[in-house]
Amino acid sequence: MTTLSETDAKFLRIAYEEALAGFNEGGCPIGSSLAEGDRLIAQGRNQRVQQGDPIAHGEMDCLRKAGRQKSYRKMTLYTSLSPCMMCTGTIIQFGIPRVVIGEAETFPGNPDFLRERGVEVIIADDDDCKALMARFIQEKPELWAEDIAED
């Protein structure tokens, strides 16, 4: 497990708690938070199942809840799972300079793509995030396959 700063650990834990809440609601356990320094801007979770919205990924829900921002240039996005290409594109589009990822084993996502575009990426390799995703995939493999667009 990567050693995180106290601030990073706090906001990654919020992302994990959002993921756990999503799991307990019957959805995909992927959570996110957005912070500027020590200030929480927003938090959210994957809402695809709960809202029937195919693009309501954890990062997207968080950013939607953050509302309009004049700039994201001093913010960090925390996510329990490595972002898919849609969420990666949104991070780049909004100019979010830093992303802290709970885990990238279950789903490798796009950390290299982010790095190639100047985004600082930290993979925490968080045991809680990994355990929650492993449980979800074991209990709901069909929902996981749907979430990552695999047949």
Side-chain angles (χ1 to χ4, degrees):
M1 186 165 167
T2 301
T3 303
L4 299 177
S5 72
E6 189 175 315
T7 298
D8 286 342
K10 175 177 77 171
F11 290 122
L12 182 58
R13 190 68 191 177
I14 290 170
Y16 169 78
E17 295 293 338
E18 285 286 338
L20 183 59
F23 177 83
N24 290 334
E25 293 168 353
C28 301
I30 305 163
S32 185
S33 64
L34 181 68
E36 185 171 1
D38 288 333
R39 184 172 65 97
L40 178 67
I41 305 296
Q43 62 193 71
R45 61 182 164 269
N46 187 300
Q47 298 276 341
R48 293 180 67 254
V49 172
Q50 299 92 316
Q51 295 181 7
D53 181 348
I55 62 170
H57 287 202
E59 300 90 340
M60 303 300 266
D61 184 56
C62 178
L63 291 166
R64 184 177 286 126
K65 288 176 178 173
R68 292 176 55 205
Q69 300 291 317
K70 289 183 180 183
S71 173
Y72 297 86
R73 304 271 181 226
K74 295 181 181 177
M75 296 185 191
T76 298
L77 182 72
Y78 299 84
T79 180
S80 62
L81 185 66
S82 191
C84 71
M85 189 51 81
M86 176 179 67
C87 296
T88 294
T90 303
I91 291 163
I92 293 165
Q93 176 70 31
F94 287 5
I96 298 170
R98 189 167 181 269
V99 177
V100 176
I101 297 169
E103 71 108 336
E105 285 181 20
T106 304
F107 180 74
N110 299 282
D112 291 338
F113 191 84
L114 286 165
R115 287 182 182 117
E116 289 165 5
R117 281 146 186 84
V119 178
E120 178 187 355
V121 177
I122 296 168
I123 300 175
D125 199 29
D126 183 85
D127 290 336
D128 289 338
C129 291
K130 288 190 286 188
L132 182 58
M133 285 306 300
R135 180 178 172 200
F136 170 66
I137 291 167
Q138 181 180 3
E139 292 181 12
K140 298 187 177 184
E142 313 83 21
L143 184 52
W144 172 238
E146 176 189 329
D147 193 63
I148 58 173
E150 288 185 357
D151 293 332

